[in-house]
Amino acid sequence: MRQLRQPFLVVGGILLHAAMIMITMPTFVRVNHLRAEWPLMLFVLVAIVCVLPWRLSRRWWPLTFLTLPLAMIGIVYALFPGRGGITVAWAEQTINRLSDSIASYLGATAATVPSLLSLVLILLAIAALTILYVRYDIWLVTALALVAYLVAVNVFNGDDLTTTVMLLMTVASVLAVVRQLMADRPRWPVTIAGVVTALAAVGLMRLAANQNTYLANVTAPLVNNTSTLRDQLNTAGFFQSLERFGAGSARTGFSENDTTLGGPLFDDNSVVFTAVDYEDHYWRVETKDDYTGKGWETSMLTDYERLRGLPAQLPIAGMTSKTAATKHNLSMTFTDANDFVPLPYGAITLNSVDRQTTNVFVGWAGNRNRLFTGGRSRSFAAVNRITATYEKYNYTTGQLVNAPNPTIDQGTSAFSRDLELPRSVTKRTKDLAARIVRNKTTYYSQVTAIRDYLRDNMDLLYSKVDTPRTPSGRDYVDYFLFDSKTGYCDNYSTAMIVMLRSLGIPARWAKGFNGGNPVGIASGGRSQYQILNSAAHSWPEVYFTDIGWVPFEPTPGFTNPDERKQAANESDTPSTSSSSTASSASSSSSTSSVSRSVSQAARSSVSSTSDTTTTTNDYSGWLIAGIAAGVAALSAGLLFWQRRRVLIMWTSWRLRYLTNGDLARVFRLFDRVATAFLPRPVGETITAYYQQFTTTYDLPPDSLTGLVENVNDLLYSGQNGAKQMVDQSTLEKLQQVLRILQTSLRTKKGK
């Protein structure tokens, strides 16, 4: 009966192993933006066909290593066809492209692994895993490698792969059961454990598919208790270094597209621009007023007002506040030429823009409060350096406290775009805003009450790496406030604006950068600051009568020096600018917010993120060392796990080149293998031991007789003549014994 079912079990095991690999292919194709899944699925099956001859006979291994590369070339052509057929020109083009991909990735000029390089690596991995199982019956490596890959995709891309991982566990568990049924002596505890694991995985898949599952109640404490550590690693640049080895994901930095906010972010600590200024402050790139329920858009088409001739004073953008008498000189140098220009708050006079006399003009978009640069041949022309002077807006805390709601004097129509809300905003969001300001009688106290609720609320978790994507059909703010309760600056700033608008308070969304790292001293009492991609940020602006648009900061752990915070004594003295430091975590006005900010070390925003650190750590060296150590440890573990199989292969290879070799040397080689399978009791003679060995492993009766007799004669004859040599017949018998021992490893035969 066993002889009849064995072929079916072998075929079933191979197909289950192929199914494990195929389960991960849709994820790989999606992450690397490949055109189709079927070529990779086909390659999994073709790889099995290529390796099967090697399984049937060791002599067929050259055929495997000839056909596998040909199959790989076909798959590469299917996904990267170029022009024409598979020709020499196509091969040269593909090789050059692959070489460029490797060079750009190793040279750190590519943030993610290029698609062609990823495809070649995955094809090599599929081929290696197929050889390990079809030829050597090693399947656990495949399961571990695939789970590790899916976990990496989850970390770097934020994809929910729970169902995929559970399905992989199910197939792996069934394969483990099949492997036990193939053995002569199945280990039934392992078989039962495999069945139970498979059933549990199926149950977990059903739970994961159910939106009302209680599984989150089990995993939430683990996620929450480790969020501080993961955010600190993110701020320090660990995930940035780690990301180069993954498929890539959303990273911090200024983005032109804010239509869909949400999802995890990882820090990019590269330098965007260097500023020479008298202080460090927030840098606004633009404002947006149309909240869609998913993100932000500009409600009107961008209208540019060209600035003719420099120096030129930029429009005041709705500001009626007085300005300080002191003029500050500013120069900005961009690391890479940008077509967006971050600017400080104040009345700004633009003095110079590089290449302005050749191909660059400057324009101001009033509905976006944004400075654009344009060229003759394209709508946007990137610039490298800008110089300007500016005067800070000068208003007092008393003005903010005494300001009425501007819609009383100017009417709601004057702020229609800054009060508008989509239908997606829920009643419970509006009710929450009303409860927060229930006892607040002034306009300013209502604004600060909403700000402080968000900034000081211990139920809301600040985290970039844990922020989920908003489910389809859900309002972005509602999902953040009542369900996920996890977010970064985009979540907090948008939530404040939506709640303020629901109360009839005009507010709009500002985005840019929240500060820089001081890196040097410049002339005239100024300092040099580096502003990083990880400093990208968003915040609300609220309109105050006789002042204009005032920035506020609802995100925990942030301090905006341009926000005039209510002083403890409510004095009416002009507020002075304070430098925002990256390490400042005391932006909140309460003790709870201070303690909370300590636990929230990472900062972020959707197209943006958070504050910067004064030093950034490059973990690349440690990461490479850690990966190397992990690979070494895994290799050592695999060698130990398969030590007898490796010993057989090594001994067989050595004996192949010992024709007419020294008897003592041949015996030492074989005896090492024998004792690895069946330890020799102390004091037992060689003859008795090998009789027991022959019986245990069902060896032919005469397979070791000649060798043992010659060894006994060598040991006990007392002759010191010429070395005894092993003839070809004995060597062939030893090779046959080694093959039997190798078969016993597959069937678990013997001890």
Side-chain angles (χ1 to χ4, degrees):
M1 182 66 180
R2 179 180 178 278
Q3 292 179 348
L4 293 177
R5 75 166 186 263
Q6 190 72 7
F8 293 99
L9 292 175
V10 171
V11 174
I14 292 175
L15 294 179
L16 287 171
H17 183 269
M20 284 200 303
I21 299 176
M22 289 182 177
I23 287 171
T24 62
M25 289 302 101
T27 301
F28 177 81
V29 170
R30 183 177 67 256
V31 167
N32 290 278
H33 308 290
L34 298 178
R35 299 194 306 168
E37 299 173 6
W38 68 264
L40 290 172
M41 300 288 191
L42 178 63
F43 181 73
V44 175
L45 300 177
V46 172
I48 294 174
V49 176
C50 294
V51 180
L52 272 177
W54 192 8
R55 178 187 179 95
L56 300 175
S57 175
R58 295 176 58 184
R59 295 177 297 178
W60 290 106
W61 68 266
L63 181 62
T64 296
F65 287 101
L66 176 64
T67 54
L68 273 177
L70 294 176
M72 293 174 63
I73 292 173
I75 301 303
V76 171
Y77 177 78
L79 293 173
F80 294 89
R83 296 180 180 179
I86 302 180
T87 61
V88 175
W90 173 84
E92 292 179 351
Q93 181 184 13
T94 304
I95 292 173
N96 291 334
R97 183 175 178 180
L98 179 61
S99 177
D100 292 340
S101 299
I102 296 173
S104 63
Y105 182 67
L106 295 180
T109 57
T112 60
V113 182
S115 297
L116 179 58
L117 178 58
S118 294
L119 176 62
V120 172
L121 292 176
I122 199 66
L123 291 178
L124 290 173
I126 293 174
L129 295 176
T130 303
I131 290 174
L132 282 178
Y133 183 77
V134 176
R135 176 64 183 87
Y136 297 107
D137 294 317
I138 300 175
W139 64 273
L140 190 57
V141 174
T142 301
L144 295 176
L146 296 179
V147 169
Y149 174 74
L150 293 175
V151 169
V153 171
N154 174 261
V155 170
F156 298 133
N157 265 39
D159 295 355
D160 184 5
L161 299 174
T162 304
T163 303
T164 304
V165 173
M166 293 303 172
L167 182 60
L168 180 61
M169 289 178 57
T170 303
V171 177
S173 301
V174 175
L175 179 57
V177 174
V178 170
R179 295 296 307 164
Q180 290 301 313
L181 295 177
M182 291 171 61
D184 282 346
R185 301 178 183 179
R187 290 177 287 184
W188 291 109
V190 176
T191 305
I192 295 174
V195 174
V196 172
T197 303
L199 294 176
V202 173
L204 289 174
M205 278 192 291
R206 293 181 62 85
L207 282 176
N210 184 3
Q211 294 183 354
N212 298 320
T213 178
Y214 293 97
L215 187 61
N217 296 332
V218 179
T219 59
L222 176 62
V223 173
N224 292 336
N225 291 333
T226 60
S227 63
T228 299
L229 173 61
R230 287 180 282 114
D231 283 343
Q232 288 173 344
L233 290 174
N234 190 23
T235 301
F238 174 77
F239 288 113
Q240 179 195 11
S241 300
L242 191 63
E243 188 183 6
R244 291 192 63 247
F245 296 87
S249 58
R251 297 186 298 165
T252 56
F254 180 81
S255 171
E256 298 288 355
N257 186 358
D258 305 298
T259 56
T260 302
L261 302 181
L265 284 177
F266 302 98
D267 280 338
D268 177 1
N269 290 324
S270 58
V271 178
V272 180
F273 65 95
T274 301
V276 176
D277 202 349
Y278 86 103
E279 71 168 358
D280 181 29
H281 45 67
Y282 276 27
W283 304 83
R284 187 179 67 179
V285 175
E286 66 175 343
T287 62
K288 293 188 176 182
D289 50 41
D290 186 6
Y291 173 65
T292 64
K294 296 181 179 180
W296 288 94
E297 296 179 353
T298 303
S299 58
M300 300 173 58
L301 294 176
T302 301
D303 184 19
Y304 305 102
E305 177 187 349
R306 182 166 180 174
L307 304 180
R308 300 185 180 278
L310 297 179
Q313 185 172 357
L314 300 183
I316 57 177
M319 295 298 296
T320 56
S321 171
K322 296 180 180 179
T323 58
T326 304
K327 286 189 176 182
H328 301 286
N329 295 318
L330 167 68
S331 64
M332 302 168 58
T333 304
F334 294 91
T335 303
D336 297 314
N338 287 327
D339 53 18
F340 63 86
V341 181
L343 296 171
Y345 279 87
I348 302 171
T349 298
L350 192 63
N351 293 327
S352 68
V353 178
D354 65 336
R355 302 196 305 270
Q356 60 177 317
T357 59
T358 55
N359 66 343
V360 174
F361 68 81
V362 180
W364 178 262
N367 64 319
R368 299 177 65 175
N369 296 287
R370 177 167 175 174
L371 185 68
F372 284 97
T373 57
R376 296 174 181 172
S377 60
R378 51 182 175 158
S379 57
F380 297 106
V383 298
N384 294 99
R385 191 172 188 273
I386 287 178
T387 63
T389 59
Y390 67 97
E391 302 164 5
K392 299 285 290 185
Y393 293 120
N394 191 7
Y395 50 87
T396 67
T397 303
Q399 287 178 275
L400 296 176
V401 172
N402 296 322
N405 190 317
T407 60
I408 296 176
D409 297 330
Q410 303 183 41
T412 57
S413 60
F415 301 97
S416 58
R417 295 199 305 270
D418 307 305
L419 290 171
E420 187 176 5
L421 291 174
R423 294 181 178 179
S424 63
V425 175
T426 59
K427 182 178 183 298
R428 61 178 178 177
T429 300
K430 299 176 181 179
D431 291 343
L432 174 62
R435 287 198 304 270
I436 294 172
V437 303
R438 181 172 47 209
N439 298 321
K440 307 301 179 181
T441 58
T442 67
Y443 182 75
Y444 179 69
S445 64
Q446 291 177 346
V447 173
T448 55
I450 298 294
R451 177 200 65 186
D452 293 343
Y453 172 83
L454 293 169
R455 194 169 61 183
D456 303 341
N457 191 340
M458 298 297 292
D459 292 332
L460 299 178
L461 175 66
Y462 181 98
S463 177
K464 286 180 289 185
V465 297
D466 292 319
T467 300
R469 291 181 173 87
T470 305
S472 177
R474 294 293 304 277
D475 181 78
Y476 175 67
V477 170
D478 179 85
Y479 182 67
F480 165 62
L481 291 175
F482 301 104
D483 292 296
S484 74
K485 298 184 179 181
T486 302
Y488 35 80
C489 61
D490 284 351
N491 301 83
Y492 286 91
S493 60
T494 304
M496 180 173 175
I497 295 169
V498 168
M499 286 195 286
L500 288 176
R501 288 184 176 185
S502 72
L503 300 170
I505 297 176
R508 67 187 185 189
W509 196 61
K511 56 183 294 190
F513 297 85
N514 75 322
N517 297 329
V519 294
I521 303 299
S523 61
R526 297 182 300 170
S527 297
Q528 188 178 33
Y529 300 93
Q530 283 186 344
I531 291 80
L532 314 181
N533 272 315
S534 56
H537 193 53
S538 65
W539 59 92
E541 291 181 351
V542 184
Y543 192 85
F544 281 76
T545 301
D546 296 329
I547 297 173
W549 293 98
V550 178
F552 284 83
E553 184 53 88
T555 306
F558 286 79
T559 299
N560 185 346
D562 296 301
E563 176 190 350
R564 272 41 181 185
K565 297 181 293 295
Q566 185 176 5
N569 57 5
E570 290 295 331
S571 65
D572 196 32
T573 58
S575 60
T576 58
S577 300
S578 60
S579 175
S580 77
T581 61
S583 61
S584 174
S586 58
S587 63
S588 302
S589 59
S590 67
T591 305
S592 63
S593 67
V594 173
S595 62
R596 176 184 174 83
S597 64
V598 173
S599 68
Q600 295 167 339
R603 316 287 188 240
S604 107
S605 166
V606 137
S607 43
S608 44
T609 54
S610 47
D611 72 343
T612 59
T613 53
T614 54
T615 58
T616 56
N617 300 321
D618 186 4
Y619 285 87
S620 297
W622 288 103
L623 180 62
I624 294 174
I627 292 176
V631 171
L634 179 61
S635 300
L638 291 175
L639 286 175
F640 179 78
W641 178 37
Q642 297 292 326
R643 60 191 182 280
R644 292 194 294 182
R645 191 187 303 275
V646 173
L647 184 59
I648 289 175
M649 295 173 62
W650 168 254
T651 305
S652 177
W653 180 79
R654 291 292 305 276
L655 292 179
R656 200 174 302 155
Y657 297 96
L658 287 177
T659 303
N660 296 324
D662 179 14
L663 173 62
R665 187 178 182 184
V666 170
F667 179 74
R668 282 195 300 270
L669 286 171
F670 182 79
D671 190 61
R672 188 180 297 115
V673 176
T675 54
F677 278 77
L678 182 66
R680 183 189 302 171
V682 178
E684 187 174 35
T685 64
I686 293 177
T687 302
Y689 169 75
Y690 276 102
Q691 287 177 350
Q692 177 64 29
F693 187 84
T694 301
T695 303
T696 301
Y697 290 97
D698 296 331
L699 303 179
D702 61 342
S703 57
L704 298 175
T705 303
L707 178 66
V708 173
E709 290 178 353
N710 290 335
V711 171
N712 282 325
D713 183 63
L714 177 64
L715 293 176
Y716 305 116
S717 65
Q719 298 178 2
N720 296 321
K723 292 182 179 179
Q724 295 192 32
M725 310 302 288
V726 179
D727 57 24
Q728 184 64 31
S729 175
T730 301
L731 289 173
E732 291 177 356
K733 290 181 179 180
L734 293 180
Q735 292 283 12
Q736 182 183 5
V737 172
L738 292 176
R739 287 192 289 271
I740 294 174
L741 293 177
Q742 190 169 28
T743 303
S744 71
L745 290 176
R746 298 178 184 175
T747 60
K748 307 299 181 184
K749 188 176 181 179
K751 294 185 179 179

